[in-house]
Amino acid sequence: MLTKPFEIPGKQLKAAGLQLTNLIHYQLTPDELVTGTLMKRQGRLNDTGAMVIHTGKFTGRSPRDKFIVKDEQTAATIDWGGFNNPIEEKYFDRILEDVRAYLNERRELWVRDSYACAAEEYRLNIRIVNELPWMNLFAHHLFLRPSEAELECFEPEWHILSAPGLELDPVRCGTRQGNATVVSFKHKMILITGSSYTGEIKKGIFSVLNYLLPQNRDVLSMHCSANMGPGGDTALFFGLSGTGKTTLSTDPDRRLIGDDEHGWDDKQVFNFEGGCYAKCIHLSEEKEPGIYHAVRNGALVENVTFLPGTDHINFDDASVTENTRVGYPTYFLENRVPEETGGVPRNIFFLTCDAYGVLPPVARLTKEQALYYFVSGYTAKVAGTETGITEPKATFSACFGAPFIPLHPGRYASMLGSRIAKHGVKVWMVNTGWTGGAYGTGTRMKLTDSRAMIRAALNGSLDKVECHKDPVFGLMIPDSCPGVDPKILNPRNTWAQPEAYDRQAKDLAGRFAENFKNYQDLVAAEISAAGPAV
């Protein structure tokens, strides 16, 4: 029998405004959720036993359709504009009414009690109500899992109501279109409609924590991964999608604390989550063994295809989306920190995939430079490579996570700066992008070289070598690095035509300066002055 009785006497779903006439599947195991998905023909197993599903129309988040209710609590505290789209309370009330009505009409619902924040003093209890079993499996993987004893007295603080089959009336509900993710801090609710993309669930709670923790608890919330060395030293890895954040933090010589979201208080770094949500386009055992072997029984793999006539995933096929993903709990990884907490970091890495090919593969940053590049949140993307498009596109995402930060970027930068200064943290930039030319001319930085440079920074080897100052970006570039060909360390020397490098570097420096105009009046002058020379 797939269903368990709903075992929360007196609580049930009244707080969410849902009826009890539904067939409630409460706190099912991953095996039971996989079975339910297969019975409904909503997914297929691959040859390792992983559940493969398609998320439908949406294969990624829809930032323009994410809203925060503007009320007396948020009106003066949210940094409105950009990704923080306001919605009136009356529209939230209508959407909530529609979501409740829709879910109450479902024959079955999947309910899970979870929590965020591995540090107990910041724990946030969450109840997730899903229309689909495989989305409840995702919630099991990505959030932290209460024990049986904790479930007996579990009190949810926040509710997530996920109704992907519900298309809103934009005129009635004040939305842009039929899908929306709506956050209300007053009601402590996240409503998700019209999209089956699981990342909306994960990032909804991340946005909530990015608002609550810095304001209420003096905790710096961060879009980064974290790991720990054999000696107990913690390192943080910031980076946008495609920069190697998950890959480089999943290191066989270090234990993973967490994959994507962390908090940093006076004494520790702690994971917000209980799982990993890794990109798996071009996934291979050779390059990313930890992630590759996590694609196994119980894992949830999204939007991939199979090799013809087999149950073997074709990780190189981006015909559905480049954003193919695998979600799995951290306990799938042998090399991890079970407590998902670590000490104050000694090293921070800003990862960028520079498709212009002008940033150095590794460089040491001053505190002021660290804050400049943190606020900038730079990477470069190349879209549509299959059609031969070779023009890189600069992407700036403040704090390496602009869609998820409700407060002004300067607030997070100030907190980071005080922590860097207080603890003497070393900050590095690592370019995992192109060398010897821009995309289409140069070559992608080797993963083995990026790993070698990060290891040298972590073990102190780069502290002992001579460095020179980059004349454009002002970064201190080491002249040598153990295990790395010194020819690649100075990017200008890797270009066949150094004058072409100079033009490209000047162009990128100008893009940095233009983007930073959005922030220069709200940060200290020395931070603005720490950017590239233009």
Side-chain angles (χ1 to χ4, degrees):
M1 185 73 176
L2 177 65
T3 306
K4 289 182 176 179
F6 195 54
E7 299 163 345
I8 309 183
K11 299 180 189 177
Q12 298 144 347
L13 294 178
K14 291 180 181 178
L18 299 179
Q19 300 169 356
L20 301 180
T21 56
N22 315 77
L23 182 60
I24 302 297
H25 304 277
Y26 175 66
Q27 218 72 5
L28 297 194
T29 66
D31 285 346
E32 290 170 320
L33 292 167
V34 167
T35 299
T37 301
L38 293 173
M39 288 175 62
K40 294 182 176 298
R41 299 183 179 179
Q42 295 174 353
R44 170 182 169 187
L45 298 180
N46 82 324
D47 55 354
T48 69
M51 171 56 64
V52 178
I53 56 90
H54 281 218
T55 60
K57 179 170 66 172
F58 291 96
T59 58
R61 290 177 296 100
S62 186
R64 294 175 64 193
D65 299 304
K66 177 187 145 191
F67 301 91
I68 299 174
V69 179
K70 191 171 186 177
D71 54 30
E72 63 273 14
Q73 179 179 350
T74 60
T77 53
I78 297 289
D79 181 35
W80 299 109
F83 294 102
N84 293 321
N85 306 307
I87 193 168
E88 296 179 46
E89 289 187 79
K90 66 178 181 181
Y91 291 125
F92 174 82
D93 292 339
R94 293 174 187 175
I95 296 169
L96 178 58
E97 180 184 352
D98 288 355
V99 169
R100 283 171 170 167
Y102 177 84
L103 292 177
N104 281 331
E105 292 171 356
R106 301 308 99 191
R107 191 179 72 84
E108 297 174 277
L109 292 177
W110 283 261
V111 179
R112 178 161 303 280
D113 287 339
S114 303
Y115 67 96
C117 298
E120 187 174 354
E121 57 267 43
Y122 306 114
R123 177 169 167 166
L124 185 76
N125 283 354
I126 308 161
R127 177 164 293 162
I128 307 105
V129 181
N130 294 112
E131 177 185 354
L132 301 172
W134 54 265
M135 296 188 79
N136 202 251
L137 177 65
F138 176 85
H140 170 275
H141 291 346
L142 267 294
F143 293 123
L144 290 153
R145 296 159 288 275
S147 66
E148 290 293 332
E150 290 170 329
L151 286 172
E152 290 180 5
C153 54
F154 189 92
E155 291 282 354
E157 186 174 356
W158 276 75
H159 283 82
I160 302 174
L161 306 185
S162 172
L166 172 63
E167 290 286 327
L168 300 175
D169 177 350
V171 175
R172 178 180 181 275
C173 296
T175 57
R176 191 176 70 94
Q177 52 188 22
N179 67 292
T181 297
V182 187
V183 179
S184 172
F185 286 94
K186 178 190 289 187
H187 295 82
K188 297 185 177 180
M189 276 190 171
I190 300 173
L191 309 178
I192 303 172
T193 73
S195 173
S196 300
Y197 183 65
T198 56
E200 297 285 7
I201 295 174
K202 161 187 162 69
K203 291 304 186 185
I205 286 296
F206 185 41
S207 299
V208 167
L209 292 171
N210 282 334
Y211 180 81
L212 297 176
L213 290 179
Q215 285 202 120
N216 301 343
R217 306 299 297 273
D218 193 31
V219 172
L220 173 59
S221 53
M222 306 173 292
H223 186 212
C224 70
S225 56
N227 66 21
M228 182 185 295
D233 63 296
T234 298
L236 304 181
F237 298 80
F238 290 84
L240 301 175
S241 178
T243 59
K245 178 163 56 72
T246 299
T247 300
L248 291 170
S249 61
T250 308
D251 188 318
D253 295 330
R254 297 175 64 84
R255 294 186 296 155
L256 186 72
I257 296 172
D259 170 58
D260 192 52
E261 304 168 5
H262 290 82
W264 179 1
D265 67 10
D266 284 338
K267 61 183 180 181
Q268 66 185 334
V269 165
F270 59 93
N271 193 4
F272 287 169
E273 302 183 296
C276 302
Y277 192 41
K279 291 192 75 170
C280 54
I281 190 71
H282 306 306
L283 180 64
S284 70
E285 184 177 19
E286 177 186 4
K287 292 183 178 179
E288 300 169 282
I291 301 171
Y292 185 87
H293 289 292
V295 183
R296 61 180 176 86
N297 182 36
L300 184 69
V301 188
E302 299 178 351
N303 300 315
V304 297
T305 62
F306 292 88
L307 293 172
T310 75
D311 291 325
H312 189 74
I313 295 173
N314 183 0
F315 288 113
D316 294 320
D317 184 6
S319 60
V320 179
T321 177
E322 285 274 347
N323 189 38
T324 54
R325 295 272 182 172
V326 55
Y328 52 90
T330 51
Y331 61 73
F332 273 24
L333 301 172
E334 293 183 6
N335 208 21
R336 67 185 183 96
V337 178
E339 301 81 11
E340 303 197 42
T341 60
V344 170
R346 297 182 192 172
N347 289 276
I348 294 174
F349 297 92
F350 293 160
L351 306 177
T352 177
C353 178
D354 178 28
Y356 295 95
V358 296
L359 289 179
V362 64
R364 177 81 179 265
L365 310 184
T366 65
K367 186 191 83 168
E368 292 73 25
Q369 288 173 331
L371 299 185
Y372 181 94
Y373 286 102
F374 177 69
V375 170
S376 297
Y378 166 73
T379 194
K381 297 180 179 180
V382 179
T385 57
E386 298 85 358
T387 61
I389 297 174
T390 60
E391 180 65 26
K393 179 182 179 181
T395 300
F396 296 94
S397 185
C399 309
F400 296 96
F404 325 118
I405 55 172
L407 308 178
H408 189 277
R411 179 70 174 270
Y412 305 94
S414 175
M415 296 179 76
L416 178 64
S418 65
R419 284 159 171 75
I420 290 173
K422 179 178 179 179
H423 301 289
V425 185
K426 293 182 283 188
V427 184
W428 310 84
M429 176 186 288
V430 174
N431 173 20
T432 61
W434 271 257
T435 183
Y439 174 86
T441 302
T443 57
R444 186 76 187 262
M445 206 74 66
K446 294 180 181 178
L447 178 59
T448 52
D449 286 335
S450 296
R451 287 197 186 279
M453 288 180 274
I454 288 172
R455 286 170 182 163
L458 290 169
N459 65 30
S461 297
L462 292 186
D463 297 337
K464 306 170 186 176
V465 303
E466 293 293 324
C467 297
H468 67 277
K469 188 175 183 179
D470 181 279
V472 176
F473 297 98
L475 308 172
M476 296 305 294
I477 303 174
D479 295 332
S480 63
C481 176
V484 177
D485 184 346
K487 294 179 182 178
I488 73 167
L489 295 175
N490 187 333
R492 189 174 190 271
N493 294 342
T494 67
W495 284 53
Q497 298 179 342
E499 298 80 8
Y501 168 88
D502 294 338
R503 290 192 297 270
Q504 190 74 85
K506 183 178 180 181
D507 176 76
L508 182 58
R511 294 172 190 259
F512 268 99
E514 184 64 26
N515 172 72
F516 210 79
K517 288 179 181 178
N518 298 313
Y519 311 106
Q520 60 187 16
D521 294 336
L522 298 167
V523 299
E526 58 267 26
I527 298 174
S528 294
V534 293

